[in-house]
Amino acid sequence: EPEVTQTPSHQVTQMGQEVILRCVPISNHLYFYWYRQILGQKVEFLVSFYNNEISEKSEIFDDQFSVERPDGSNFTLKIRSTKLEDSAMYFCASSLRVDYEQYFGPGTRLTVT
Amino acid sequence: AQSVTQPDIHITVSEGASLELRCNYSYGATPYLFWYVQSPGQGLQLLLKYFSGDTLVQGIKGFEAEFKRSQSSFNLRKPSVHWSDAAEYFCAEGHAGNMLTFGGGTRLMVKP
């Protein structure tokens, strides 16, 4: 069964460093998403991406964040200068159409020290 | 703004007992509603979805959910819980199927 994959599973970085989280969505899906879950809190929407453009983003997704689909299979989330409060589990998701269910990857746990 | 409420943070049931997890949504005459399950250290797995039509929807692992517009609810049920069902369950609402708004989650513990 096709699945969304994410690498790395755990990333530790120092405050102020740049990180890139990688995702491989399901191959025929067209819509891509990033969510995050701070420990003990709700899963929060960050951004959605379609046709090489951001289609929607939340207030969390400020200028420190960017997304890219560098090739036909990968979807990345970059945090330019990490802060302690960026420590969270980051989930990638994809869907076939905008009104279809989203399938989630296993997540990348980001720890900022 | 959308909000999804799961009133029960923790629920403990005995193995073999029935289960109902509550979810209330706040947005939309025709919401897109989902239940996801997260086992420890795992990602979010889709259990079931409601887009329209029959208000009782069947999902994987023997789960079902009922959409009740009058109560703005989408409760998850299972007639007989197994120890492997212990996990955290999230209700979510989609806005035009794009951004999902999640509830706070309900952690299910299963007693032998």
Side-chain angles (χ1 to χ4, degrees):
Chain A
E1 184 177 322
E3 58 182 18
V4 176
T5 59
Q6 291 185 243
T7 54
S9 57
H10 191 191
Q11 172 100 40
V12 181
T13 189
Q14 289 190 326
M15 198 166 50
Q17 296 296 304
E18 175 184 285
V19 294
I20 297 176
L21 309 184
R22 301 180 194 280
C23 168
V24 178
I26 294 173
S27 62
N28 63 335
H29 284 188
L30 301 176
Y31 294 81
F32 315 115
Y33 313 86
W34 284 101
Y35 292 80
R36 79 172 185 191
Q37 184 181 29
I38 295 172
L39 189 64
Q41 298 187 22
K42 292 185 178 186
V43 177
E44 301 172 289
F45 170 79
L46 293 178
V47 65
S48 59
F49 190 85
Y50 168 71
N51 199 26
N52 280 320
E53 286 184 347
I54 290 174
S55 50
E56 195 166 348
K57 62 182 181 179
S58 71
E59 292 175 354
I60 304 167
F61 194 88
D62 61 21
D63 292 344
Q64 293 299 310
F65 291 88
S66 62
V67 289
E68 191 179 30
R69 187 152 165 84
D71 53 45
S73 59
N74 290 283
F75 179 51
T76 62
L77 174 69
K78 183 193 293 186
I79 308 175
R80 191 167 299 119
S81 177
T82 51
K83 308 183 188 70
L84 294 176
E85 54 265 37
D86 293 327
S87 295
M89 181 74 90
Y90 288 81
F91 292 106
C92 174
S94 68
S95 65
L96 181 61
R97 283 172 30 179
V98 70
D99 55 352
Y100 274 29
E101 60 270 27
Q102 297 177 23
Y103 291 89
F104 283 75
T108 293
R109 179 162 297 285
L110 176 66
T111 302
V112 182
T113 61
Chain B
Q2 284 176 275
S3 70
V4 177
T5 304
Q6 294 180 245
D8 305 303
I9 298 174
H10 293 100
I11 281 187
T12 300
V13 299
S14 298
E15 190 167 17
S18 64
L19 171 71
E20 182 168 27
L21 303 182
R22 297 184 290 164
C23 172
N24 293 99
Y25 66 92
S26 69
Y27 179 88
T30 311
Y32 297 95
L33 296 165
F34 308 86
W35 276 98
Y36 286 87
V37 61
Q38 184 180 33
S39 299
Q42 303 296 311
L44 296 161
Q45 182 182 22
L46 180 68
L47 283 177
L48 48 76
K49 62 184 185 285
Y50 172 78
F51 286 173
S52 64
D54 193 347
T55 56
L56 185 64
V57 294
Q58 302 297 320
I60 62 171
K61 304 185 180 189
F63 285 92
E64 65 178 28
E66 186 171 12
F67 170 65
K68 292 185 178 180
R69 187 188 306 277
S70 61
Q71 298 176 20
S72 297
S73 69
F74 187 58
N75 294 349
L76 182 72
R77 301 195 294 246
K78 186 169 185 177
S80 178
V81 168
H82 188 262
W83 63 266
S84 60
D85 293 324
E88 188 147 23
Y89 291 80
F90 292 94
C91 182
E93 180 178 10
H95 174 49
N98 199 350
M99 178 185 94
L100 291 181
T101 298
F102 283 84
T106 298
R107 183 165 296 282
L108 173 66
M109 297 182 64
V110 181
K111 290 190 300 186

